[in-house]
């Protein structure tokens, strides 16, 4: 998936040249999810009545920048400790975070309408916390008509059906349509997504059938984030993988629900989603390649452990600790995720919820199940002549065991309040206050001190974002 900026520029230049030679147009796209304010609260694919006018090019971008003013504390006092293995720990403390700007992030979207009802899409991260250089997020082919095979082939079925094929973002749940995706933050009324943030790109296909309020999707992928064709060589058994001799399993995705504009004032949507892999290469709560918005919260200064220097885990490498503020269940063998998302909008008042139930096994061949639950709810009130202003609040809690050997389940809670202003359909300014706390984490992580022990961070963040 990795690429370099030069290749991206060459690709753009090639497309511009192709555009001139083929006399294509710009922006005459079909069934494209809006990247401006019109895309807020649009979930999944949606048919439109745009007319096919020949091959057309789509070029878009998104940029976001935050000013962060967050403070962190935990239950570890600065001083000398004796680790659980008897080793000495000296000069441990959390980092003091400056009130400062985060790394600006940027996305680029490139696509083409290739035929009536057929378009291709490519998404790139130009700058991200996790990958500072240019990376390809993913790309897919979207088919809404089969006229390229035969005119009006299965026309009545395709009237309600969409097929997506490629290495693309897995459509698990509705929450990922309201999260910030690196530079693309226009659809998120808040600064960060859920604490346990599901996001993964894999090679596969999804089939949608949406009709008269009925929402459905079935997807199947090969279960791999990074693609390869190398021979599978059985590994030797280890403590963490007592039976490792099995290949990667496919990921199964499904969604079913109801979405209806009851009248001009009331819209109701509820969906249930399923995500399962029997022998995974990565889990969907640790595969996101952009990074969280809360830079370096709950990170520690350099300190000494058993006479050896321990690195400051905030400043050595921007990409080395990119998910601070999030929760990863850490499943190592298999997982099953079920997510229910209710959404109600009455005039300017809207509610969006997430009920997520995740379970999985820790070791290859040892499938003792442990479970994690997540509950999230936000209320947003949009007002103004075009609902260009909003105020909102969000509560999010995650709880469960980090390992089967743990006696107690840990608990992470977040409360966020914010407001926003769409200066135009493409420009959004946000201001938010966040407080997040960590409960029941052990004092030690392995033998060294645990940054999250009685941890808490809180403060204000400002974000400006542009998308077109």
């Amino acid at each position: 998936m990795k690429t370099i900026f030069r290749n991206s520029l060459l690709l753009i230049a090639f497309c511009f040249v192709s555009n001139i030679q083929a006399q294509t147009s710009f922006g005459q796209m079909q069934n494209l999810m809006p990247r401006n304010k019109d895309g807020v609260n649009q979930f999944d694919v949606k048919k439109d009545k745009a007319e096919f006018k020949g091959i057309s090019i789509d070029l878009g971008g998104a940029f976001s920048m935050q000013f962060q003013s967050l403070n962190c504390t935990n239950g570890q006092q600065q001083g000398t400790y004796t680790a659980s293995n008897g080793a000495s720990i000296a000069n441990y403390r959390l980092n003091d975070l400056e009130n400062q700007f985060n790394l600006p992030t940027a996305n680029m979207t490139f696509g083409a309408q290739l035929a009536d009802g057929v378009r291709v899409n490519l998404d790139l991260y130009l700058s991200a916390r996790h990958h500072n250089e240019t990376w390809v997020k993913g790309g897919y082919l979207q088919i809404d008509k089969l006229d390229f095979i035969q005119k009006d082939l299965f026309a009545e079925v395709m009237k309600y059906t969409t097929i997506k094929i490629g290495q693309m973002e897995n459509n698990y749940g509705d929450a990922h349509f309201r999260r910030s995706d690196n530079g693309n933050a226009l659809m998120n009324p808040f600064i960060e997504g859920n604490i346990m943030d599901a996001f993964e790109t894999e090679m596969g296909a999804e089939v949608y059938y949406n009709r008269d309020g009925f929402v459905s999707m079935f997807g199947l992928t090969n279960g791999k984030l990074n693609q390869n064709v190398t021979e599978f060589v059985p590994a030797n058994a280890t403590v963490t993988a007592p039976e490792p001799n099995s290949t990667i399993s496919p990921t199964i995705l499904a969604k079913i629900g109801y979405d209806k504009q009851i009248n001009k004032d009331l819209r109701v949507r509820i969906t249930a989603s399923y995500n399962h892999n029997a022998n995974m290469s990565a889990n969907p709560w640790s595969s996101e390649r952009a990074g969280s918005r809360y830079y370096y919260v709950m990170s520690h200064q350099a300190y000494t452990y058993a006479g050896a220097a321990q690195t400051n885990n905030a400043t050595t490498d921007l990409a080395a600790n990119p998910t601070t503020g999030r929760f990863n269940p850490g499943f190592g063998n298999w997982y099953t995720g079920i997510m229910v998302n209710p959404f109600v909008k009455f005039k300017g008042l809207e509610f969006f919820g997430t009920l997520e139930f995740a379970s999985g096994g820790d070791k290859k061949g040892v499938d003792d199940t442990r479970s994690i639950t997540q509950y999230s709810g936000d209320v947003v009130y949009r007002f103004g002549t075009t609902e260009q202003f909003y105020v909102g609040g969000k509560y999010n809690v995650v709880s469960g065991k980090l390992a089967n050997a743990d006696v107690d389940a840990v608990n992470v809670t977040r409360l966020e309040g914010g407001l926003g202003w769409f200066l135009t359909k493409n420009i959004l300014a946000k201001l938010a206050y966040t407080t997040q706390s960590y409960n029941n984490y052990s004092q030690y992580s392995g033998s060294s001190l645990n940054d999250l022990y009685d941890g808490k961070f809180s403060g204000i963040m400002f974000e400006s974002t542009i998308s077109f």
Side-chain angles (χ1 to χ4, degrees), residues 203 222 224 226-233:
M203 182 69 72
N222 69 348
K224 290 185 178 183
N226 296 314
Q227 307 304 319
N228 63 74
V229 294
T230 56
E231 177 188 6
F232 176 76
V233 179

Side-chain angles (χ1 to χ4, degrees), residues 6-56:
R6 181 183 64 185
N7 288 346
S8 299
L9 293 177
L10 288 174
L11 175 62
I12 296 171
F14 170 78
C15 293
F16 272 106
V17 171
S18 299
N19 174 64
I20 294 172
Q21 292 177 345
Q23 296 183 348
T24 59
S25 61
F26 272 90
Q28 300 296 326
M29 307 298 292
Q30 296 177 313
N31 308 313
L32 183 69
M33 184 177 291
R35 292 188 290 267
N36 60 18
K37 180 174 173 286
D38 293 337
V40 172
N41 296 329
Q42 181 172 321
F43 306 94
D44 303 323
V45 297
K46 186 177 181 180
K47 303 274 191 175
D48 60 37
K49 296 181 180 180
E51 183 182 353
F52 176 65
K53 297 183 179 180
I55 294 178
S56 186

Side-chain angles (χ1 to χ4, degrees), residues 127-167:
S127 170
R129 177 182 176 185
H130 196 177
H131 292 305
N132 315 141
E133 71 278 35
T134 298
W135 276 66
V136 175
K137 171 192 170 183
Y140 59 87
L141 184 71
Q142 180 169 315
I143 302 172
D144 288 282
K145 293 182 180 180
L146 298 176
D147 289 14
F148 66 95
I149 299 176
Q150 180 181 325
K151 180 66 174 175
D152 293 332
L153 180 63
F154 298 123
E156 190 60 29
V157 174
M158 294 305 297
K159 189 176 179 180
Y160 309 101
T161 303
T162 295
I163 303 168
K164 293 175 67 175
I165 304 170
Q167 171 100 10

Side-chain angles (χ1 to χ4, degrees), residues 6-7 18 25 37 79 135 145 160 182 201 207 213 224 229 251 257 263 267 269 282 296 299 323 326 402 408 412:
R6 181 183 64 185
N7 288 346
S18 299
S25 61
K37 180 174 173 286
W135 276 66
K145 293 182 180 180
Y160 309 101
N182 198 47
T201 58
V207 179
K224 290 185 178 183
V229 294
T251 298
N263 54 48
R267 177 186 173 191
R269 175 184 173 96
Y296 296 136
S299 62
T323 59
R326 292 181 181 167
L402 293 171
D408 297 320
V412 186

Side-chain angles (χ1 to χ4, degrees), residues 67-123:
F67 183 85
Q68 176 173 305
S69 178
L70 299 176
N71 297 310
C72 310
T73 61
N74 68 9
Q76 318 280 19
Q77 302 299 317
Q78 184 175 2
T80 300
Y81 289 82
T82 301
S84 55
N85 63 355
S88 176
I89 299 174
N91 299 320
Y92 170 90
R93 72 174 178 88
L94 291 181
N95 281 293
D96 289 328
L97 303 180
E98 291 187 352
N99 300 334
Q100 193 52 271
F101 288 97
N102 289 334
L103 171 76
T105 55
N107 295 10
M108 185 180 79
T109 296
F110 177 78
Q113 190 74 44
L114 303 177
D116 191 8
V118 180
R119 67 176 179 87
V120 65
N121 190 85
L122 177 68
D123 294 314

